[in-house]
Amino acid sequence: FSVIATMASDLAGGHSIPEGDMIDATSKLQLEAAEVRTQKPNWPSYLRSQMIPQEDFNFLTAYEGARSKDERDRVLRENDENGQAVKTIVNLLNNVAKDQNVRYVLTLFDDMLSEDKTRVDLVHKAAHRQKRTAWGWFLGLLQRQDSFIVNQMSSVIAKLACYGSTPMDGQDLNYYFSFLKDQLRTSSGNEYLITTARCLQMMLRTDNYRSAFVALDGVSSIVHALSGKANFQLQYQLVFAIWCLTFNADIARKLATMGVIQTLGDILSESSKEKVVRIILATFRNILEKVDDREIVREAALQMVQCKTLKTLELLDSKKYDDPDVEEDADYLREKLHVSVQDLSSFDEYCSEVRSGRLQWSPVHKSEKFWRENAPRFTEKNHELIKILIRLLETNQDALILCVAAHDVGEYVRHYPRGKNIVEQHQGKQAVMKLLTADDPNVRYHALLAVQKLMVHNWEYLGKQLDADHAEPVAVK
């Protein structure tokens, strides 16, 4: 995967990521491949049993017998005119039933491409001779039951898609990205996630691949995997994939609304690994630098502030890092975020918090002045804030978030004359009423207050009633 290190330098214009970061964790696939290489099939027996033709046997024995790259190159050249090398590999992968032998051939194939990426063109040339693409030969193996075969095939496909001059596109590309997404979604029981992440690191260096991945909602799959129990190596690789995406300005614009900043902010505040810190800072910088829409940049910066990035940067300031890029990126972000904080109004702060979905009892929620001055602004952007609050009421499981969201819906209705109609129009009343039977007593309490505000028109009377509910009982004489 040294290609990824080169890619990092190309992408970042000198903002390079050292190659060692790509390979310093030995993946399960690499460990198994080392064992598979020692289990060479008995090809003479296969030939005698007519399970493989003479041509396949001749190529396999010649290639396996080669002791250097030059010798292997000679064998491949001699078998290139009629595409025999590729024909042999395809025959064995698709016609041999025994998993152990398919494992061996796939590992041989992967080693062949890893040793010299120009060999990918042999595969595409052989497919072109048959007036087809290479993908049809290999994508079906992603459905095998053997996990090693599936993930080794995935690794080969990424090389075929990235090393050569024939791009993957259309349904084939969507199929492959859907496979990678499924791997990420089953992250809790997937021992090969490092391989999946490396495939993404390779694929997302290509702009057309980035756009296709985002169009398939691939970003949410990465966020899902990062939100689980990812070790630091996997965190690094998946954030690296997101970093690649941020070199596309249109995608960088969208990332601010996809939960990426909050997830990376959480990891940044907890991680002690320099490589993880470095790639997150580089990603944040790209998001702020590549987007030319000031409003989106401002919103992204506010989200970074919301997830306590400034505090993390202050802590980083006391540490010494070997990579000068870390300090440079930290200084850049520190300056940008401080400017955002200076311009921050209470309404901006509130909007950023609501859009993040991470509601807490920050001062604005309980401020009468805030609601009096800003309730009319909840109509902006087609009632965006109200829609988010209602969606949180409908879908969130966190008691604190539900309490704050119910409180805010009630305060909006209380301070905006048409608020009740707008909330009902977006099914907010039903969402609040469902919480009257919630398990958490605090949720039930705030839902009850919100329902009262939705039902009662005499706010002065309601205020007195709420005060009376909280007053200490007077002893009857």
Side-chain angles (χ1 to χ4, degrees):
F1 278 82
S2 60
V3 67
I4 301 174
T6 305
M7 158 191 129
S9 183
D10 291 344
L11 280 174
H15 213 88
S16 61
I17 305 297
E19 179 182 344
D21 283 332
M22 303 304 145
I23 56 175
D24 60 9
T26 303
S27 71
K28 180 177 174 63
L29 189 79
Q30 291 169 322
L31 290 170
E32 289 185 333
E35 185 180 344
V36 167
R37 292 185 189 99
T38 67
Q39 299 169 349
K40 186 166 72 172
N42 186 341
W43 298 126
S45 173
Y46 271 69
L47 180 65
R48 287 192 299 271
S49 306
Q50 297 185 329
M51 295 175 68
I52 61 171
Q54 185 71 48
E55 295 84 356
D56 289 355
F57 175 82
N58 292 343
F59 167 72
L60 284 167
T61 51
Y63 190 81
E64 288 176 339
R67 291 289 172 259
S68 67
K69 180 180 182 301
D70 287 343
E71 287 185 33
R72 286 186 284 275
D73 284 339
R74 178 181 55 77
V75 172
L76 289 171
R77 279 196 305 273
E78 290 171 355
N79 286 271
D80 181 38
E81 188 173 340
N82 61 354
Q84 184 58 52
V86 177
K87 190 184 301 181
T88 297
I89 290 168
V90 170
N91 283 347
L92 292 172
L93 290 181
N94 288 288
N95 297 320
V96 172
K98 194 174 181 181
D99 282 347
Q100 182 178 328
N101 292 339
V102 175
R103 283 176 162 220
Y104 178 84
V105 174
L106 257 181
T107 302
L108 183 81
F109 190 21
D110 188 62
D111 289 345
M112 181 189 298
L113 302 183
S114 297
E115 185 175 51
D116 185 343
K117 65 181 181 180
T118 64
R119 292 172 180 169
V120 162
D121 291 328
L122 296 176
V123 182
H124 291 303
K125 189 159 63 173
H128 184 68
R129 286 195 192 101
Q130 297 186 21
K131 295 181 168 51
R132 60 175 297 161
T133 65
W135 319 115
W137 284 330
F138 306 119
L139 285 171
L141 271 76
L142 298 177
Q143 297 301 318
R144 293 283 288 247
Q145 295 301 307
D146 184 285
S147 295
F148 177 87
I149 291 174
V150 168
N151 286 278
Q152 186 70 289
M153 188 72 260
S154 176
S155 180
V156 167
I157 289 170
K159 292 178 175 68
L160 292 172
C162 296
Y163 289 170
S165 55
T166 303
M168 184 186 277
D169 57 16
Q171 291 184 341
D172 292 330
L173 181 60
N174 287 346
Y175 182 89
Y176 181 54
F177 272 149
S178 294
F179 163 80
L180 294 179
K181 279 177 53 185
D182 289 343
Q183 296 293 99
L184 292 175
R185 287 287 179 184
T186 55
S187 55
S188 58
N190 188 346
E191 297 179 290
Y192 295 89
L193 267 184
I194 282 179
T195 299
T196 300
R198 285 186 172 168
C199 291
L200 280 174
Q201 285 178 281
M202 294 179 67
M203 294 294 289
L204 296 180
R205 69 175 175 168
T206 301
D207 199 49
N208 286 341
Y209 293 163
R210 294 177 200 146
S211 301
F213 184 70
V214 173
L216 286 172
D217 193 29
V219 175
S220 68
S221 300
I222 296 180
V223 171
H224 172 82
L226 283 171
S227 300
K229 295 181 179 178
N231 60 43
F232 76 88
Q233 175 64 21
L234 184 57
Q235 285 178 339
Y236 173 78
Q237 291 179 240
L238 292 175
V239 179
F240 189 102
I242 292 175
W243 178 65
C244 290
L245 292 175
T246 62
F247 284 88
N248 180 306
D250 288 335
I251 294 173
R253 287 166 59 98
K254 297 173 184 175
L255 290 179
T257 64
M258 293 180 171
V260 169
I261 292 174
Q262 293 91 333
T263 301
L264 298 195
D266 288 347
I267 295 171
L268 181 64
S269 66
E270 297 170 2
S271 181
S272 59
K273 295 292 181 179
E274 180 176 342
K275 63 195 246 176
V276 176
V277 170
R278 180 174 70 241
I279 199 69
I280 292 176
L281 294 183
T283 302
F284 278 0
R285 178 170 183 169
N286 263 8
I287 290 174
L288 298 183
E289 248 183 352
K290 301 294 181 184
V291 178
D292 57 8
D293 187 313
R294 290 182 61 186
E295 185 60 32
I296 292 175
V297 169
R298 187 165 177 272
E299 175 61 30
L302 291 181
Q303 285 188 40
M304 293 175 195
V305 172
Q306 193 79 37
C307 60
K308 301 179 174 58
T309 301
L310 268 176
K311 290 183 180 179
T312 305
L313 290 172
E314 289 172 10
L315 294 173
L316 292 178
D317 202 26
S318 62
K319 298 180 181 179
K320 294 297 180 186
Y321 289 106
D322 296 332
D323 188 346
D325 285 342
V326 176
E327 290 200 24
E328 185 184 331
D329 288 344
D331 289 342
Y332 175 88
L333 289 169
R334 202 176 288 113
E335 180 183 343
K336 285 286 186 182
L337 298 188
H338 274 305
V339 170
S340 297
V341 169
Q342 289 167 7
D343 293 341
L344 189 63
S345 71
S346 59
F347 186 69
D348 292 328
E349 183 184 350
Y350 179 83
C351 290
S352 179
E353 184 183 330
V354 171
R355 289 180 184 131
S356 77
R358 301 182 177 196
L359 301 182
Q360 52 188 313
W361 289 118
S362 52
V364 291
H365 298 280
K366 298 293 185 70
S367 167
E368 188 79 14
K369 181 173 181 287
F370 170 80
W371 289 106
R372 192 168 59 248
E373 292 177 354
N374 294 294
R377 298 191 63 182
F378 279 56
T379 60
E380 294 174 4
K381 297 185 179 179
N382 194 24
H383 308 123
E384 177 197 17
L385 294 175
I386 284 298
K387 288 178 181 176
I388 295 174
L389 289 172
I390 292 171
R391 186 171 70 246
L392 290 172
L393 291 172
E394 291 172 336
T395 62
N396 207 280
Q397 304 297 316
D398 186 283
L400 174 60
I401 291 173
L402 292 174
C403 287
V404 179
H407 168 273
D408 287 5
V409 168
E411 288 298 276
Y412 168 66
V413 170
R414 186 159 76 92
H415 287 87
Y416 187 61
R418 293 192 296 111
K420 178 181 176 182
N421 292 336
I422 291 169
V423 169
E424 289 183 353
Q425 175 188 332
H426 295 294
Q427 285 74 53
K429 185 176 178 181
Q430 296 94 308
V432 173
M433 293 189 76
K434 282 183 181 178
L435 296 179
L436 293 173
T437 58
D439 292 335
D440 190 284
N442 291 319
V443 174
R444 294 199 301 271
Y445 171 73
H446 285 285
L448 178 60
L449 292 186
V451 169
Q452 287 179 313
K453 293 170 188 176
L454 280 161
M455 303 291 285
V456 179
H457 296 281
N458 187 333
W459 299 119
E460 184 180 355
Y461 171 78
L462 175 59
K464 290 177 180 176
Q465 285 297 107
L466 293 178
D467 289 341
D469 289 344
H470 286 82
E472 292 186 7
V474 179
V476 178
K477 295 183 181 179

